[in-house]
Amino acid sequence: MALKGVLRPGHVSLRVLEMEPALKHYTEWVGLIETDRDDQGRVYLKGWDEHDKFCLVLQEADRPGMEFYAFKVLDDATLDQYEKRLNDYGVETRRVPAGDLKGCGERVQFTIPSGHLIELFAQKDQVGNGLPLTNPDVWPDGLKGIHPTRMDHCLFNGDSVPECAKLFTEVLDFDLTEKMEDPDGNMVGVFLSCSNKPHDIAIIHEESKGRLHHVAFWLDSWDEIRHAADIMSKNYIPVEYGPGRHGLTRGLTIYFFDPSGNRNETFCGGYIRYPDHPPITWTADEFGKGIFYYGHEMVESFVSANT
């Protein structure tokens, strides 16, 4: 499909309790690449196959969780267009000046009904993926740990799920790909895509505001998921579930935690979708199968250990 508006997830900012253990986790074990630091103590990281300077920003704080989740748009005119559409819809926005995040252009910030802070931006410095643009090999030397190619998506917990879905679909041009309905037919989970992926963002109901469920990193194959499981076992990384599979999105998965308690996911597979595909519905009696396709049993921490 032709991507002309919101292109893809751009970056997520996470709060961590201690920087050094967090950096060991994300660089040595997950295998992201550090690209910069700033005078606020923030550290910038990227997946090896991402050209933009960073996909993850770590900042030390007294509690874990997410500060904001950003999407890259096509250009500055598109950024202006979406800001106007948000304002016309009744959403208050704030312009963050270029350079506030190192290497990133001006950002438009706004809060969605579930209490999560979202950003749009058009410009970010590119540092490449370690391969030449002429006659490249298939991966660069020196990769560490799990070495995901990119940050893939985030899943949030919060209230106002239908209102969030309406904002993303009617204002930001996302597609609703899958939804979860309670026994009364109320929408309690939504999976939304700005691309041909099963989801670029998901929101599942919780009586809360602004909670993070997980940040997912993309791997290319089941064999890389197996390798990730080996890395986690070797380094005693707390694993919540997996290797396993979702019914929702059909993705292959492992859920695990960073030293601050932020949940991570390795994700691969899923299906290719197009804008004319109808959304998939999951009913409450099959939530276990939808989330944990192998076994159909919910893991208790999956609905409680959020940051």
Side-chain angles (χ1 to χ4, degrees), residues 202-246:
I203 308 169
I204 293 180
H205 178 81
E206 180 182 280
E207 289 297 333
S208 65
K209 291 285 187 183
R211 296 252 282 173
L212 173 70
H213 191 273
H214 68 263
V215 178
F217 301 99
W218 177 264
L219 298 177
D220 285 334
S221 69
W222 179 252
D223 189 60
E224 290 191 3
I225 292 281
R226 176 206 54 77
H227 173 71
D230 289 348
I231 295 292
M232 294 175 203
S233 181
K234 182 177 181 178
N235 294 287
Y236 296 89
I237 297 171
V239 172
E240 180 179 46
Y241 172 79
R245 186 167 193 168
H246 297 305

Side-chain angles (χ1 to χ4, degrees), residues 11 54 97-107 119 121 123-125:
H11 54 259
F54 59 89
D100 175 78
L101 288 174
K102 290 186 75 171
C104 189
E106 198 170 23
R107 295 135 58 206
E119 296 187 338
F121 70 98
Q123 306 295 330
K124 187 183 285 182
D125 291 351

Side-chain angles (χ1 to χ4, degrees), residues 238-266:
V239 172
E240 180 179 46
Y241 172 79
R245 186 167 193 168
H246 297 305
L248 281 147
T249 75
R250 303 183 201 157
L252 304 168
T253 180
I254 307 174
Y255 287 110
F256 58 107
F257 293 95
D258 76 7
S260 300
N262 294 308
R263 184 186 284 102
N264 299 163
E265 180 186 24
T266 56

Side-chain angles (χ1 to χ4, degrees), residues 177-194:
T177 63
E178 305 201 27
K179 59 182 177 176
M180 303 167 68
E181 292 184 348
D182 70 13
D184 296 321
N186 300 307
M187 193 159 55
V188 295
V190 291
F191 292 71
L192 301 153
S193 178
C194 62

